[in-house]
PDB file of all heavy atoms in Angstrom:
ATOM      1  N   PRO A 137     -73.771-124.948  -4.168  1.00 92.00           N
ATOM      2  CA  PRO A 137     -72.680-124.497  -3.253  1.00 92.00           C
ATOM      3  C   PRO A 137     -71.839-125.660  -2.729  1.00 92.00           C
ATOM      4  O   PRO A 137     -70.591-125.549  -2.584  1.00 92.00           O
ATOM      5  CB  PRO A 137     -73.445-123.787  -2.122  1.00 92.00           C
ATOM      6  CG  PRO A 137     -74.773-123.429  -2.700  1.00 92.00           C
ATOM      7  CD  PRO A 137     -75.084-124.510  -3.674  1.00 92.00           C
ATOM      8  N   LYS A 138     -72.485-126.773  -2.381  1.00 93.00           N
ATOM      9  CA  LYS A 138     -71.741-127.940  -1.883  1.00 93.00           C
ATOM     10  C   LYS A 138     -70.869-128.537  -2.986  1.00 93.00           C
ATOM     11  O   LYS A 138     -69.721-128.920  -2.711  1.00 93.00           O
ATOM     12  CB  LYS A 138     -72.739-129.007  -1.385  1.00 93.00           C
ATOM     13  CG  LYS A 138     -73.638-128.516  -0.275  1.00 93.00           C
ATOM     14  CD  LYS A 138     -74.737-129.541   0.019  1.00 93.00           C
ATOM     15  CE  LYS A 138     -75.724-128.987   1.059  1.00 93.00           C
ATOM     16  NZ  LYS A 138     -76.855-129.936   1.279  1.00 93.00           N
ATOM     17  N   ILE A 139     -71.400-128.613  -4.203  1.00 94.00           N
ATOM     18  CA  ILE A 139     -70.609-129.144  -5.298  1.00 94.00           C
ATOM     19  C   ILE A 139     -69.430-128.243  -5.618  1.00 94.00           C
ATOM     20  O   ILE A 139     -68.340-128.715  -5.892  1.00 94.00           O
ATOM     21  CB  ILE A 139     -71.527-129.352  -6.535  1.00 94.00           C
ATOM     22  CG1 ILE A 139     -72.531-130.461  -6.253  1.00 94.00           C
ATOM     23  CG2 ILE A 139     -70.696-129.653  -7.788  1.00 94.00           C
ATOM     24  CD1 ILE A 139     -73.646-130.620  -7.322  1.00 94.00           C
ATOM     25  N   ALA A 140     -69.669-126.929  -5.561  1.00 96.00           N
ATOM     26  CA  ALA A 140     -68.584-125.979  -5.798  1.00 96.00           C
ATOM     27  C   ALA A 140     -67.451-126.177  -4.802  1.00 96.00           C
ATOM     28  O   ALA A 140     -66.274-126.148  -5.163  1.00 96.00           O
ATOM     29  CB  ALA A 140     -69.097-124.558  -5.729  1.00 96.00           C
ATOM     30  N   THR A 141     -67.818-126.436  -3.517  1.00 96.00           N
ATOM     31  CA  THR A 141     -66.804-126.654  -2.505  1.00 96.00           C
ATOM     32  C   THR A 141     -66.047-127.945  -2.762  1.00 96.00           C
ATOM     33  O   THR A 141     -64.805-128.001  -2.589  1.00 96.00           O
ATOM     34  CB  THR A 141     -67.479-126.757  -1.109  1.00 96.00           C
ATOM     35  OG1 THR A 141     -68.135-125.514  -0.839  1.00 96.00           O
ATOM     36  CG2 THR A 141     -66.466-127.012  -0.001  1.00 96.00           C
ATOM     37  N   LEU A 142     -66.705-129.011  -3.177  1.00 97.00           N
ATOM     38  CA  LEU A 142     -66.050-130.265  -3.491  1.00 97.00           C
ATOM     39  C   LEU A 142     -65.034-130.077  -4.639  1.00 97.00           C
ATOM     40  O   LEU A 142     -63.931-130.604  -4.623  1.00 97.00           O
ATOM     41  CB  LEU A 142     -67.070-131.350  -3.830  1.00 97.00           C
ATOM     42  CG  LEU A 142     -67.861-131.927  -2.651  1.00 97.00           C
ATOM     43  CD1 LEU A 142     -69.058-132.674  -3.157  1.00 97.00           C
ATOM     44  CD2 LEU A 142     -66.975-132.843  -1.837  1.00 97.00           C
ATOM     45  N   LEU A 143     -65.464-129.352  -5.683  1.00 97.00           N
ATOM     46  CA  LEU A 143     -64.574-129.102  -6.824  1.00 97.00           C
ATOM     47  C   LEU A 143     -63.337-128.322  -6.381  1.00 97.00           C
ATOM     48  O   LEU A 143     -62.218-128.627  -6.802  1.00 97.00           O
ATOM     49  CB  LEU A 143     -65.298-128.335  -7.901  1.00 97.00           C
ATOM     50  CG  LEU A 143     -66.397-129.100  -8.684  1.00 97.00           C
ATOM     51  CD1 LEU A 143     -67.203-128.125  -9.539  1.00 97.00           C
ATOM     52  CD2 LEU A 143     -65.775-130.194  -9.550  1.00 97.00           C
ATOM     53  N   GLU A 144     -63.546-127.339  -5.508  1.00 97.00           N
ATOM     54  CA  GLU A 144     -62.403-126.563  -4.995  1.00 97.00           C
ATOM     55  C   GLU A 144     -61.422-127.444  -4.222  1.00 97.00           C
ATOM     56  O   GLU A 144     -60.219-127.170  -4.198  1.00 97.00           O
ATOM     57  CB  GLU A 144     -62.933-125.426  -4.096  1.00 97.00           C
ATOM     58  CG  GLU A 144     -63.634-124.341  -4.889  1.00 97.00           C
ATOM     59  CD  GLU A 144     -64.344-123.361  -3.953  1.00 97.00           C
ATOM     60  OE1 GLU A 144     -64.234-123.532  -2.714  1.00 97.00           O
ATOM     61  OE2 GLU A 144     -64.993-122.435  -4.483  1.00 97.00           O
ATOM     62  N   ARG A 145     -61.943-128.501  -3.569  1.00 97.00           N
ATOM     63  CA  ARG A 145     -61.100-129.403  -2.787  1.00 97.00           C
ATOM     64  C   ARG A 145     -60.501-130.504  -3.633  1.00 97.00           C
ATOM     65  O   ARG A 145     -59.897-131.408  -3.110  1.00 97.00           O
ATOM     66  CB  ARG A 145     -61.933-129.953  -1.621  1.00 97.00           C
ATOM     67  CG  ARG A 145     -62.230-128.948  -0.556  1.00 97.00           C
ATOM     68  CD  ARG A 145     -63.457-129.314   0.270  1.00 97.00           C
ATOM     69  NE  ARG A 145     -63.401-130.667   0.771  1.00 97.00           N
ATOM     70  CZ  ARG A 145     -64.477-131.382   1.173  1.00 97.00           C
ATOM     71  NH1 ARG A 145     -65.690-130.817   1.077  1.00 97.00           N
ATOM     72  NH2 ARG A 145     -64.383-132.577   1.601  1.00 97.00           N
ATOM     73  N   GLY A 146     -60.746-130.484  -4.957  1.00 97.00           N
ATOM     74  CA  GLY A 146     -60.112-131.414  -5.849  1.00 97.00           C
ATOM     75  C   GLY A 146     -60.902-132.659  -6.186  1.00 97.00           C
ATOM     76  O   GLY A 146     -60.404-133.574  -6.824  1.00 97.00           O
ATOM     77  N   TYR A 147     -62.194-132.712  -5.761  1.00 98.00           N
ATOM     78  CA  TYR A 147     -63.052-133.849  -6.068  1.00 98.00           C
ATOM     79  C   TYR A 147     -63.808-133.638  -7.380  1.00 98.00           C
ATOM     80  O   TYR A 147     -64.182-132.482  -7.697  1.00 98.00           O
ATOM     81  CB  TYR A 147     -64.071-134.086  -4.963  1.00 98.00           C
ATOM     82  CG  TYR A 147     -63.439-134.645  -3.679  1.00 98.00           C
ATOM     83  CD1 TYR A 147     -62.973-133.793  -2.690  1.00 98.00           C
ATOM     84  CD2 TYR A 147     -63.296-135.997  -3.500  1.00 98.00           C
ATOM     85  CE1 TYR A 147     -62.416-134.292  -1.509  1.00 98.00           C
ATOM     86  CE2 TYR A 147     -62.739-136.534  -2.341  1.00 98.00           C
ATOM     87  CZ  TYR A 147     -62.288-135.669  -1.363  1.00 98.00           C
ATOM     88  OH  TYR A 147     -61.724-136.168  -0.203  1.00 98.00           O
ATOM     89  N   SER A 148     -64.020-134.697  -8.131  1.00 98.00           N
ATOM     90  CA  SER A 148     -64.846-134.668  -9.304  1.00 98.00           C
ATOM     91  C   SER A 148     -66.245-135.148  -8.971  1.00 98.00           C
ATOM     92  O   SER A 148     -66.395-136.010  -8.060  1.00 98.00           O
ATOM     93  CB  SER A 148     -64.238-135.553 -10.424  1.00 98.00           C
ATOM     94  OG  SER A 148     -63.041-134.976 -10.920  1.00 98.00           O
ATOM     95  N   ILE A 149     -67.230-134.650  -9.653  1.00 97.00           N
ATOM     96  CA  ILE A 149     -68.640-134.973  -9.346  1.00 97.00           C
ATOM     97  C   ILE A 149     -69.198-135.882 -10.461  1.00 97.00           C
ATOM     98  O   ILE A 149     -69.216-135.489 -11.631  1.00 97.00           O
ATOM     99  CB  ILE A 149     -69.512-133.710  -9.254  1.00 97.00           C
ATOM    100  CG1 ILE A 149     -68.828-132.631  -8.360  1.00 97.00           C
ATOM    101  CG2 ILE A 149     -70.890-134.051  -8.723  1.00 97.00           C
ATOM    102  CD1 ILE A 149     -68.525-133.083  -6.957  1.00 97.00           C
ATOM    103  N   LEU A 150     -69.607-137.075 -10.075  1.00 97.00           N
ATOM    104  CA  LEU A 150     -70.150-138.031 -11.035  1.00 97.00           C
ATOM    105  C   LEU A 150     -71.675-137.858 -11.122  1.00 97.00           C
ATOM    106  O   LEU A 150     -72.382-137.968 -10.130  1.00 97.00           O
ATOM    107  CB  LEU A 150     -69.816-139.468 -10.620  1.00 97.00           C
ATOM    108  CG  LEU A 150     -70.488-140.604 -11.386  1.00 97.00           C
ATOM    109  CD1 LEU A 150     -70.048-140.606 -12.845  1.00 97.00           C
ATOM    110  CD2 LEU A 150     -70.175-141.931 -10.719  1.00 97.00           C
TER     111      LEU A 150
END
Side-chain angles (χ1 to χ4, degrees):
K138 300 171 184 175
I139 292 172
T141 299
L142 285 165
L143 290 170
E144 289 170 2
R145 288 157 51 201
Y147 288 90
S148 292
I149 313 301
L150 171 64

